[in-house]
Amino acid sequence: MKNMMPAAFLFLIVFWNAENLFDDRPGFNAKCNGIAKTLMMMADECGEMPDAIALAEVKDRATMSKLVYRTPLRKFDYGIVH
């Protein structure tokens, strides 16, 4: 059977269970920075940042805003759909 994998990604979509990403818990900033760092390492492997990132177990939109706009992810053109 032929390899059905395309030569290049059309869209790179990541799903991540952030496991209780609540901004009122100790270590919140470190966890957010760790998520951003991992996504950027993924980009090194794939050649580009994900087109979309879906997260589960995030407290609320304000927590998402902190992740997107107060970590190294702020350098990329991500928005939030909540």
Side-chain angles (χ1 to χ4, degrees), residues 1 3 9 16 20 22 35-36 42 51 55 62 67 69-70:
M1 190 170 191
N3 183 356
F9 294 111
W16 189 327
N20 299 315
F22 298 148
I35 290 171
M42 208 179 279
D51 295 295
L55 296 171
L67 173 64
Y69 303 121
R70 294 186 186 169

Side-chain angles (χ1 to χ4, degrees), residues 5 10 43 47 62:
M5 192 69 168
L10 295 177

Side-chain angles (χ1 to χ4, degrees), residues 3-82:
N3 183 356
M4 302 302 285
M5 192 69 168
F9 294 111
L10 295 177
F11 293 100
L12 180 58
I13 300 171
V14 173
F15 173 82
W16 189 327
N17 183 335
E19 299 180 14
N20 299 315
L21 185 60
F22 298 148
D23 60 357
D24 56 354
R25 292 198 175 168
F28 172 76
N29 291 333
K31 188 169 186 172
C32 284
N33 286 324
I35 290 171
K37 180 179 176 180
T38 301
L39 291 167
M40 291 188 299
M41 288 180 358
M42 208 179 279
D44 288 342
E45 289 292 318
C46 298
E48 64 185 33
M49 287 294 287
D51 295 295
I53 303 163
L55 296 171
E57 292 193 39
V58 178
K59 181 181 178 184
D60 54 21
R61 187 180 182 94
T63 304
M64 281 298 305
S65 292
K66 290 174 186 174
L67 173 64
V68 172
Y69 303 121
R70 294 186 186 169
T71 69
L73 292 177
R74 69 183 170 274
K75 295 185 273 186
F76 304 96
D77 191 26
Y78 286 115
I80 298 171
V81 177
H82 183 262

